[in-house]
Amino acid sequence: MAQCERVLTPVDGVVARMRALDAALPARDGVAVFNRVYLAVTLAVDRRVDAGLFPDTRAVIALDVRFAERYLAAVDAAAEGRRTPACWRPLFQFRRHPEVRPVQFALAGINAHIGHDLALAVLDTCRTLGCEPADLEDEFEAVGELLLSLEEHIREELVPGPELLRIADPLTHLLGAWSLERARDAAWTAARALWALRRLPDVAAEFTERLDTAVGFAGRMLLTPLPD
């Protein structure tokens, strides 16, 4: 009997874009460092989608794809010389800096993507599915748990061993100053706030701009050069 072909989902298109970036960019490029980490998590989402492990597969796929599209749009804008969101500018500016360590690039990308893009992706998904943020809370939490695995992946792949990560090393303090879990929780609060402001477009636009600026400022601090 012929084996059934796997049905492709929109997540596969996102994975293909990330794999193409991984193949095209130098390994030490800051965007490539973040892209590898993000690709690993996106593949984990894809595997769970295939296994039917999410309560609402359609909603999870929509959220995952809308989320990734914001990162890929920023990459495209930078490649074409267009203006990127403020949250992404530090990573694109410092992506080749020799004194910024790989873990810093990963954290700066995660900061931009979760701190800014995730809240807007929730709204994008609500528009796509015709629902409200509250209807996506279970899916947000499910994807959020996978996002938290980014920290484990970073520690396994990018953080120096304890014999190298000395208490006096500035990287030690940098790693302790930012929390992915807090960023995820803040993204949910921001999404709910923006949804509540949707009938006040001027206020919503100002809120979004200030969020973008604040996340970009944090990203710039995460990319402070740290000579070995």
Side-chain angles (χ1 to χ4, degrees), residues 48-219:
R48 293 196 181 192
V49 166
D50 288 344
L53 298 179
F54 292 113
D56 187 337
T57 299
R58 178 170 172 259
V60 164
I61 289 175
L63 177 58
D64 190 46
V65 172
R66 297 287 89 77
F67 187 34
E69 283 175 345
R70 286 193 167 269
Y71 156 62
L72 294 171
V75 171
D76 289 342
E80 296 165 9
R82 293 184 283 111
R83 187 175 178 82
T84 65
C87 61
W88 285 106
R89 283 177 214 152
L91 181 59
F92 292 122
Q93 180 183 357
F94 285 85
R95 62 193 296 178
R96 297 180 182 89
H97 198 296
E99 293 182 348
V100 176
R101 304 184 197 181
V103 66
Q104 294 177 260
F105 290 132
L107 288 179
I110 294 167
N111 171 71
H113 201 37
I114 294 179
H116 173 264
D117 293 354
L118 184 53
L120 300 185
V122 170
L123 300 188
D124 294 341
T125 305
C126 288
R127 297 185 190 102
T128 298
L129 300 180
C131 64
E132 299 188 3
D135 300 320
L136 296 176
E137 188 167 6
D138 289 344
E139 288 68 39
F140 182 93
E141 289 298 324
V143 173
E145 288 304 312
L146 282 172
L147 291 174
L148 290 179
S149 71
L150 282 168
E151 285 188 322
E152 181 180 350
H153 186 83
I154 288 169
R155 292 188 182 281
E156 289 177 354
E157 300 294 328
L158 300 175
V159 177
E163 70 280 1
L164 297 177
L165 196 59
R166 299 178 299 274
I167 192 168
D169 189 334
L171 182 60
T172 306
H173 301 282
L174 182 148
L175 292 175
W178 191 87
S179 164
L180 192 154
E181 186 169 11
R182 288 198 299 268
R184 183 197 62 171
D185 292 345
W188 180 245
T189 299
R192 293 175 61 213
L194 284 167
W195 184 256
L197 293 171
R198 67 191 184 281
R199 294 186 179 86
L200 299 170
D202 291 345
V203 179
E206 182 177 351
F207 183 102
T208 302
E209 182 179 359
R210 291 183 182 276
L211 176 66
D212 190 21
T213 300
V215 173
F217 179 77

